[in-house]
Amino acid sequence: MCTAVETTPAAAKYMSPASYIPDIMIDWGDFLNACDPVWERLPADIDDGAFAGNGWLGATLYQDGPRRLRIEVGRCDVTEHRRDNNRLPIGRLILETTGDLTGGHLRIDLWNGEIRGDIQTSAGILHVRCVVHALAPAILLDIQTEGMDSEPRIFWEQGHGQDLRNRDKIPDDPPNPPAITEMVDSLLVAIQTRTGGGEFATAWQETRLGDHRRVVLSVADSFPGHTARHQVVEQVKRAAATDFDPELQEHRAWWHALYPRSFVSIPDAKLESFYWIQIYKFASATRPDAGPVDLLGPWFRQTNWPRVWWNMNVESLYLPAFTANQLGLAESFIRFLDAKQDNFRSNAQVLYGINNGAGVSHSTCREGLLGDGSWFQRRFLSPGDFVWALHAYWFYYRHSMDHALVTDRGTHAFYDLLREAVNVFPHLMEEGDDGKLHLPT
């Protein structure tokens, strides 16, 4: 279940010093409002859509038909649990209007962490607000109509639930079973079981509130058991039963506390807007307990790269945490390296045949493992990738100055992993014509 991280003894070992917040007088709402990304026409593709996320759940809003608004839903830990353990598609919430979509605009409200839109149709106007709650596993959608005789139809459209890359490359693998829909404790739930074990489930609840409608949607994943269908119902009911105003204020308070840590004034409006959009995107993509950020983040799109990539991507992704004074946004990667250190040692045994090394191929799953599917190809070897990734661990230490990160080897993996990652090199180096040792190219 995706919940806020508590300051427990387990979590406390990663707690960083309070970030410095500049003492400046600024109206943050007005300041960031000038930096908001705005769509003056509706995006027609997922790559151009308006997005929101909380490190676990992600939502992308765009138009995908003459009368369809689509909110594609992702969750970072919904994976195949076999072969390469690739990310899997979940599905999307559809708003089907009675009139043709004729125009409108969308806006990501950076300061409040939400998507808002006014959508014009031939039958009237549709006002939309989408919030992926910062601290709860819930997507909240508010819909209000203006001048419409009939309201849009809202329904869930299940994704295909298949690992298409390995299905195409390894056609003899049995597919995941077809998804089913059933009532669980009075809520409609879409359930996708997996051939590799476990399931993921999506549930939603719609409520009429005066002149508007509210949809609460959530996704849960369980492995190896089949408890996601019950977890997701609990998540939706908890979110729907909570008084909305305090719930929204809690969400906004999280975002309001985030931005001042990263204040910088840039004398170019376009660059300044770009900077704050990246802070929003980074904060939408990760949480301390969410694991590493793969190439999709908490969102989903069909892609040929549905895993964690180590040949620049994960290394560069966390750099803003240090330069922008957002150390907590890198915490998930540090926890991941500590928790999965034995998997990196196992990788070195498979890749290089050594028992005193650690490493990765170009890509791994969220567990740090190579997998045995179509991504396991020995030609994708760059032994420096893992050393480079550990540079982020070093940055995390230098910005927190928590010496336990590099001295407490019983708790933290930095020293041992760095030593073992570098130890791969002597096993690979060959003497060249110049008499010097070289890594293979």
Side-chain angles (χ1 to χ4, degrees), residues 282-294:
F282 189 25
S284 298
T286 185
R287 289 293 185 278
D289 61 339
V293 180
D294 60 21

Side-chain angles (χ1 to χ4, degrees), residues 23-253:
D23 184 16
I24 55 175
M25 298 298 294
I26 185 171
D27 186 323
W28 277 95
D30 285 347
F31 173 66
L32 285 179
N33 181 261
C35 300
D36 288 349
V38 175
W39 288 255
E40 295 181 348
R41 60 178 181 269
L42 295 180
D45 184 86
I46 192 167
D47 292 333
D48 300 322
F51 58 91
N54 66 5
W56 287 92
L57 282 175
T60 310
L61 192 155
Y62 62 102
Q63 178 183 354
D64 82 338
R67 297 188 175 191
R68 285 171 46 115
L69 284 176
R70 171 172 174 161
I71 300 174
E72 188 71 25
V73 174
R75 179 168 161 140
C76 65
D77 59 345
V78 171
T79 60
E80 176 75 335
H81 288 285
R82 58 175 170 157
R83 292 297 187 186
D84 294 324
N85 200 17
N86 289 332
R87 289 278 299 276
L88 294 177
I90 297 170
R92 71 273 329 165
L93 193 67
I94 301 296
L95 281 68
E96 188 176 71
T97 59
T98 55
D100 290 341
L101 298 170
T102 59
H105 71 272
L106 297 174
R107 181 185 212 103
I108 296 178
D109 181 343
L110 297 175
W111 178 234
N112 291 314
E114 61 188 53
I115 302 168
R116 293 199 306 272
D118 299 310
I119 317 299
Q120 280 116 29
T121 79
S122 58
I125 299 175
L126 185 66
H127 304 288
V128 175
R129 175 171 64 179
C130 180
V131 175
V132 180
H133 197 285
L135 296 171
I139 298 173
L140 311 172
L141 179 68
D142 275 355
I143 304 153
Q144 186 176 19
T145 61
E146 181 182 332
M148 286 187 174
D149 294 330
S150 58
E151 296 192 340
R153 185 168 74 99
I154 303 172
F155 60 95
W156 175 254
E157 193 172 84
Q158 183 71 8
H160 56 69
Q162 306 297 328
D163 174 3
L164 294 185
R165 178 181 172 86
N166 276 320
R167 187 193 68 178
D168 295 339
K169 300 283 186 178
I170 314 173
D172 292 337
D173 269 6
N176 289 326
I180 61 172
T181 303
E182 65 179 41
M183 297 297 293
V184 178
D185 195 12
S186 75
L187 280 187
L188 199 60
V189 183
I191 303 163
Q192 175 68 67
T193 57
R194 290 175 291 232
T195 301
E199 67 182 21
F200 58 91
T202 307
W204 60 97
Q205 179 174 315
E206 182 181 338
T207 306
R208 167 70 66 179
L209 299 167
D211 62 349
H212 70 282
R213 299 150 73 188
R214 176 167 298 141
V215 177
V216 177
L217 183 144
S218 189
V219 180
D221 183 277
S222 59
F223 177 84
H226 291 79
T227 59
R229 65 192 72 189
H230 302 290
Q231 294 172 13
V232 75
V233 168
E234 179 185 341
Q235 290 168 190
V236 168
K237 289 196 168 186
R238 185 188 310 123
T242 305
D243 188 59
F244 183 71
D245 288 338
E247 190 174 31
L248 186 62
Q249 290 308 311
E250 179 188 47
H251 165 81
R252 289 177 171 177

